[in-house]
Amino acid sequence: MFDSLTDSFTSAIKKIRFHDDEKALKKALGELKKSLLKADVHHGVVRNLIAEVEHKTKSAGIGKDQFLDAMRETLYAILKVEGNQGFVFAANPPTVILMTGLQGSGKTTTTGKLAVFLKEQKKKKVLIIAADLQRLAAVEQLRQITEKIEVDLHADEAATPVEVVKAGLEKAKANLYDVVLIDTAGRLAIDEALMDELKAVRDAANPSEIFYVADSMTGQDAVRTASSFKEQIGIDGVILSKYDGDAKGGVALGLASQVNVPLRFIGSGEKMEDLEIFLPDRIVNRLMGFGDIEGLAERTANVIDEKKAKEISRKIKKGKFNFNDFLEQMEQMKKMGSMKSIMGMIPGMGDMSKALKDFDMENSKEIVQIKSMVSSMTKKEREDPDLLNNSRKMRIAAGCGMTQVEVNRVLKQFKNAAKMAKKFSGKKGMKDLQAMMGQMKGGGFPR
Ligand code: GDP
């Protein structure tokens, strides 16, 4: 397993104690080089990167800030490949995208995520075509995904991939779909049969763009495979899946510099919402451990209904936040995506995200218990838990598999939390919060 670049960068930066001399710079560069190689970045890329950082730092005058600036600029220059612009719509709809990648790379999941992104954020009518007929389970998987995200699917297990694609495209044109995503066959490794099939599908589909889904966890292998796909099929963009894993940065640098193909999106979790547009400057910030406050704000804005948010904030201020609101908030949280992908965006929380690797907000034991406890309460009781007498508490405890003591503890915690929230929502509380956010934003890093 490769080390995460964020972790190694952060530790390299922490180790640099500059006394403004060349010896200190050499040490820092040595540390950086070690981190990059450990993260499976190609040695040629590492060599150039180190030389560039050294040159930039020296010309700015050796110092910690200059070193960080040089690192930031160099990483940005590598990741910024012409065409890093998320999704591009064709002049004449439908925009047809061929989704390619090896088996297990996350291609099918990513196709679903992209459909959700287009449907929810761009308000587009999307059709998915199941052209991965190699693995029959793949069609079934896609069927389940499309049902869940409520996106239309064209599938026909009895046809050939080319036939499915042709029929699907006709359907898309006749029914005025804006975007068609074609899920193609994947194999465990590249072979001639796969490439021949992909070429035939590509020629039948005449796609607007071809996306290649690369698994971040596979390091240099992903880079090699992407190069092959680029040579043989031609690819217009890469979507990096499993970016929430441990391997992160190395492969992003490799794909951008060695394959010279723009990264378009990153997948950062197993949920359908865990897809983000790849923005080089934000990724550089995250790689260097400075988080991505803007990304976090956008993700929140996409999910949160403004009117609802105001109503909730009014309730909090009055100390009236109740269990009904709690259930509703939990539903909203679900839409934000996995906890780990969110934590990675908060400055200084990169380390925490590791600890949260297996923490699943929705399914954590406590949350499931609280949810089942709340569902055993009547609507009136959720608004005012003080209505609960002992016998009601006993029934509720029995209903959700908790003891009465536990029910009492949760009720008390909730009351305390509501009090705290009320306190923080006052004018002074807002000031404290703003000061805290200001400090986070500064991050000690000049933009
Ligand atoms: P395919 O064979 O390329 O179609 O791969 P799948 O879409 O079936 O994905 C393989 C596995 O990777 C599944 O268990 C997915 O849930 C998982 N996966 C896909 N994308 C991501 C991601 O961005 N993060 C994480 N953690 N898992 C992912």
Side-chain angles (χ1 to χ4, degrees):
M1 184 58 58
F2 322 111
D3 283 13
S4 136
L5 264 188
T6 309
D7 292 349
S8 0
F9 278 163
T10 319
S11 72
I13 294 167
K14 271 185 201 150
K15 276 190 188 144
I16 304 162
R17 291 281 172 265
F18 264 86
H19 302 295
D20 299 350
D21 62 14
E22 289 223 15
K23 215 170 128 203
L25 178 62
K26 275 262 171 315
K27 224 172 128 194
L29 289 169
E31 192 70 36
L32 186 59
K33 183 173 169 185
K34 241 180 23 206
S35 314
L36 289 163
L37 289 174
K38 248 168 86 182
D40 203 34
V41 181
H42 187 261
H43 57 85
V45 178
V46 175
R47 200 183 317 119
N48 293 342
L49 193 150
I50 296 290
E52 189 67 26
V53 173
E54 180 172 11
H55 171 74
K56 283 203 165 95
T57 312
K58 278 185 177 164
S59 23
I62 299 175
K64 190 168 176 171
D65 283 346
Q66 290 84 335
F67 178 75
L68 288 177
D69 277 348
M71 219 165 117
R72 176 175 221 289
E73 281 170 26
T74 309
L75 289 172
Y76 179 79
I78 293 177
L79 292 177
K80 175 90 191 118
V81 175
E82 195 66 37
N84 274 127
Q85 70 277 61
F87 199 88
V88 180
F89 292 97
N92 298 313
T95 307
V96 178
I97 305 289
L98 210 57
M99 301 289 293
T100 66
L102 289 186
Q103 197 174 312
S105 63
K107 182 171 46 64
T108 311
T109 312
T110 306
T111 304
K113 288 180 179 181
L114 200 53
V116 170
F117 168 83
L118 293 163
K119 181 181 159 212
E120 303 288 334
Q121 296 192 31
K122 306 283 173 192
K123 309 290 171 218
K124 298 292 177 188
K125 190 174 166 190
V126 183
L127 178 71
I128 294 181
I129 299 180
D132 180 0
L133 301 168
Q134 281 293 320
R135 252 186 340 132
L136 282 185
V139 180
E140 192 42 43
Q141 187 189 356
L142 211 47
R143 198 165 269 136
Q144 282 173 12
I145 290 178
T146 48
E147 265 169 27
K148 191 170 131 205
I149 61 178
E150 295 177 0
V151 164
D152 297 334
L153 175 74
H154 175 78
D156 179 358
E157 280 97 329
T160 66
V162 167
E163 286 166 356
V164 174
V165 167
K166 283 190 175 156
L169 285 174
E170 266 170 37
K171 180 176 166 183
K173 281 184 192 131
N175 294 288
L176 304 179
Y177 281 90
D178 301 305
V179 180
V180 180
L181 304 176
I182 304 176
D183 184 33
T184 62
R187 301 269 163 103
L188 289 173
I190 291 184
D191 62 30
E192 222 179 289
L194 171 67
M195 287 301 160
D196 286 346
E197 179 176 325
L198 285 180
K199 280 178 201 160
V201 166
R202 176 197 62 193
D203 296 343
N206 188 22
S208 322
E209 292 202 281
I210 302 177
F211 282 177
Y212 175 78
V213 179
D215 180 343
S216 315
M217 309 289 283
T218 56
Q220 279 297 313
D221 275 346
V223 177
R224 273 189 290 275
T225 324
S227 299
S228 273
F229 268 76
K230 186 183 172 187
E231 267 167 38
Q232 301 192 47
I233 312 288
I235 51 180
D236 301 291
V238 172
I239 302 184
L240 254 189
S241 68
K242 310 184 196 175
Y243 200 72
D244 50 315
D246 290 335
K248 312 201 191 204
V251 68
L253 294 174
L255 284 165
S257 62
Q258 293 167 259
V259 191
N260 195 33
V261 62
L263 289 149
R264 305 286 285 270
F265 288 90
I266 54 174
S268 52
E270 292 193 54
K271 297 196 176 170
M272 285 293 127
E273 292 77 16
D274 293 330
L275 183 80
E276 300 160 45
I277 293 180
F278 182 92
L279 295 168
D281 53 341
R282 294 194 188 171
I283 296 297
V284 170
N285 269 344
R286 270 198 247 175
L287 280 179
M288 293 181 63
F290 292 111
D292 177 9
I293 282 290
E294 285 164 69
L296 186 64
E298 273 168 23
R299 207 183 253 228
T300 319
N302 281 331
V303 194
I304 290 176
D305 174 344
E306 211 175 317
K307 218 172 111 203
K308 264 263 124 60
K310 274 198 183 130
E311 191 189 318
I312 292 285
S313 117
R314 193 177 48 81
K315 279 189 152 170
I316 290 176
K317 272 185 203 148
K318 291 194 167 163
K320 292 233 157 93
F321 186 80
N322 61 39
F323 278 112
N324 284 321
D325 305 317
F326 169 80
L327 278 188
E328 214 169 276
Q329 290 298 299
M330 287 304 296
E331 285 306 306
Q332 297 249 338
M333 291 279 285
K334 245 192 327 201
K335 289 195 218 150
M336 292 267 293
S338 65
M339 198 60 175
K340 200 172 163 235
S341 75
I342 299 170
M343 294 305 271
M345 295 171 132
I346 304 175
M349 287 291 173
D351 292 347
M352 276 289 279
S353 79
K354 238 194 196 157
L356 283 168
K357 192 178 201 153
D358 301 315
F359 182 76
D360 182 348
M361 186 83 177
E362 266 170 77
N363 299 315
S364 92
K365 200 173 141 236
E366 284 81 8
I367 300 287
V368 168
Q369 269 195 337
I370 295 174
K371 269 167 112 177
S372 90
M373 179 189 116
V374 175
S375 352
S376 314
M377 291 157 65
T378 65
K379 194 150 184 261
K380 271 237 139 36
E381 288 166 349
R382 289 180 206 161
E383 268 165 35
D384 182 7
D386 286 340
L387 291 174
L388 294 168
N389 57 24
N390 270 342
S391 88
R392 275 297 293 149
K393 280 182 197 167
M394 242 157 80
R395 288 191 70 154
I396 288 169
C400 65
M402 288 161 88
T403 64
Q404 201 181 332
V405 175
E406 282 170 330
V407 169
N408 273 329
R409 185 176 46 86
V410 172
L411 290 172
K412 197 165 159 210
Q413 273 174 351
F414 195 83
K415 214 170 182 174
N416 284 341
K419 259 193 220 150
M420 280 290 282
K422 185 179 170 190
K423 193 168 145 226
F424 263 110
S425 64
K427 268 213 174 96
K428 186 176 171 305
M430 267 324 274
K431 267 202 192 123
D432 292 347
L433 211 62
Q434 271 165 3
M436 206 168 86
M437 289 301 279
Q439 271 173 7
M440 274 160 75
K441 245 193 193 151
F445 193 64
R447 272 195 139 234

